[in-house]
Amino acid sequence: MLIRVAIPPTYQEGADVTAVLTPTAESLTALDRCDRCGAQAYIRVTLNSGGELLFCAHHGKKYEESLRTIAADIHDETEKLTEAK
């Protein structure tokens, strides 16, 4: 998971700074479904235009090359499929 550190824009050298750690995207759940086939989504694509698409691992990999040309961010949780429980 990627973590961004938000530093206030008024930061000055030597000033006290409180950093806030926030995930770049919420984790996908079993309720998130693939926009192509309805299976559980493991990939969230945030488009440059501001929209969002969800894909199962199969369709995410199938369309990965073309999605990279229009994506602002790709959040991939396919590693969940191989995690030992």
Side-chain angles (χ1 to χ4, degrees):
M1 171 172 38
L2 297 173
I3 303 291
R4 288 194 179 134
V5 177
I7 297 176
T10 58
Y11 174 75
Q12 295 177 355
E13 190 67 36
D16 291 335
V17 175
T18 303
V20 178
L21 298 177
T22 56
T24 57
E26 292 181 24
S27 292
L28 295 165
T29 69
L31 298 175
D32 294 308
R33 310 312 288 181
C34 176
D35 290 327
R36 185 74 176 138
C37 69
Q40 183 173 347
Y42 288 94
I43 299 171
R44 174 188 290 116
V45 180
T46 304
L47 303 173
N48 290 325
S49 63
E52 183 178 273
L53 297 171
L54 299 175
F55 291 101
C56 63
H58 166 78
H59 285 114
K61 297 299 178 197
K62 181 176 180 179
Y63 300 118
E64 180 178 16
E65 188 176 324
S66 59
L67 287 171
R68 289 200 180 281
T69 64
I70 61 170
D73 182 60
I74 297 178
H75 178 79
D76 186 341
E77 295 184 6
T78 54
E79 75 279 354
K80 289 182 177 179
L81 293 169
T82 56
E83 286 180 358
K85 297 198 181 199

